[in-house]
Amino acid sequence: KNEVEQSPQNLTAQEGEFITINCSYSVGISALHWLQQHPGGGIVSLFMLSSGKKKHGRLIATINIQEKHSSLHITASHPRDSAVYICAVMGRGGGADGLTFGKGTHLIIQP
Amino acid sequence: SQTIHQWPATLVQPVGSPLSLECTVEGTSNPNLYWYRQAAGRGLQLLFYSVGIGQISSEVPQNLSASRPQDRQFILSSKKLLLSDSGFYLCAKGQIYGYTFGSGTRLTVV
C-alpha cells in the first residue's frame, strides 16, 4: 500500500510570497494528482502528472519519479489561494486500485 | 465531457435517518467509479469502487453501502446514519489517463 506524505501540514504566508507544498510517496505510481479543496468543501483538480512539470497560471507542479516526490508551487500568492491542497497518487495496477490521498496542506494567505 | 455530477453539496441529517448520495458521470462508457470519505482531520479514504453495473467492492467495513444501477450512476446509501458517518464524501471516475472528481458532499449527522 502506498504511503503518501505531505508537508507542511499547515502553512500561513503573506500575499505575494512564493509557496511550495511537497508530496512524497513510497511505492512507484503511474500518475499523481494535485487537488484543491476550498473551505466549502468542493474539490477541484489542478494537475495530473506522470513526469516532468506542468504550469497553469500561477501554479506549477513538478514530479521526480526516481525520488518519488512532487511539489506544487504558487507564485505571487493571493488570499484567494487559501485552501487545502491535496496530493493523490494513482497506482500502476490500473483504475481498480483507486487513489491514495495525502492528508492535505492547509494554506492561508494573509493580505 | 468528463463531468461528474454529485449532489447535494451539503447535507444535515439526524442520527438514524437514511442516506442516499447520487453521483452521475458523463463521458466514456463503463468507467471505474469510486466513493471516498474524508473524516475530520484525516485524508480521503476509499469506501467503494465499481468496475461495472452491479459490481461493487468495499474497502472497509462500515455502515454504508453502494450500488451501481446504471453504467453512469453510482449511489452511496445508509439505512441508519451514525454520528461517525459525518464527513466529506467524494465521487470520482478513474480511467487509465487519470481521474475526474465530483465537487463532493459535506454530510453532518446530528
Side-chain angles (χ1 to χ4, degrees), chain A residues 30-31 33 35 37-45 48 84 86 88 90 94-104, chain B residues 9-10 32 34 36 38 41-46 49 51 88 90 92 94-104 106:
Chain A
S30 59
H33 286 261
L35 311 174
Q37 184 176 30
H38 278 285
I43 291 274
V44 174
S45 180
M48 189 189 77
V84 177
I86 301 170
M90 191 163 102
D97 284 356
L99 292 171
T100 303
F101 292 82
K103 291 185 178 179
Chain B
T10 59
N32 291 337
Y34 305 85
Y36 293 91
Q38 182 183 46
R42 303 188 67 181
L44 283 151
Q45 292 188 309
L46 182 64
Y49 69 90
V51 298
F88 178 75
L90 182 68
Q95 292 172 290
I96 56 171
Y97 50 80
Y99 280 71
T100 309
F101 302 93
S103 54
R106 176 78 56 189

Side-chain angles (χ1 to χ4, degrees), chain B residues 64-84:
Chain B
L64 302 166
S65 62
S67 62
R68 187 167 176 179
Q70 300 179 43
D71 182 44
R72 299 177 189 200
Q73 186 183 32
F74 200 26
I75 299 171
L76 183 70
S77 304
S78 173
K79 291 182 180 178
K80 289 186 178 182
L81 283 169
L82 306 171
L83 287 174
S84 58

Side-chain angles (χ1 to χ4, degrees), chain B:
Chain B
S1 170
Q2 301 298 323
T3 303
I4 294 184
H5 301 278
Q6 186 181 344
W7 67 92
T10 59
L11 187 61
V12 180
Q13 292 283 99
V15 168
S17 64
L19 173 74
S20 180
L21 299 181
E22 187 165 342
C23 172
T24 59
V25 304
E26 298 176 3
T28 310
S29 61
N30 200 35
N32 291 337
L33 298 177
Y34 305 85
W35 278 111
Y36 293 91
R37 177 171 66 192
Q38 182 183 46
R42 303 188 67 181
L44 283 151
Q45 292 188 309
L46 182 64
L47 298 177
F48 299 96
Y49 69 90
S50 171
V51 298
I53 295 174
Q55 300 179 62
I56 307 293
S57 296
S58 174
E59 284 295 300
V60 294
Q62 57 222 320
N63 183 42
L64 302 166
S65 62
S67 62
R68 187 167 176 179
Q70 300 179 43
D71 182 44
R72 299 177 189 200
Q73 186 183 32
F74 200 26
I75 299 171
L76 183 70
S77 304
S78 173
K79 291 182 180 178
K80 289 186 178 182
L81 283 169
L82 306 171
L83 287 174
S84 58
D85 293 323
S86 293
F88 178 75
Y89 290 82
L90 182 68
C91 177
K93 178 174 80 169
Q95 292 172 290
I96 56 171
Y97 50 80
Y99 280 71
T100 309
F101 302 93
S103 54
T105 297
R106 176 78 56 189
L107 171 67
T108 304
V109 182
V110 296

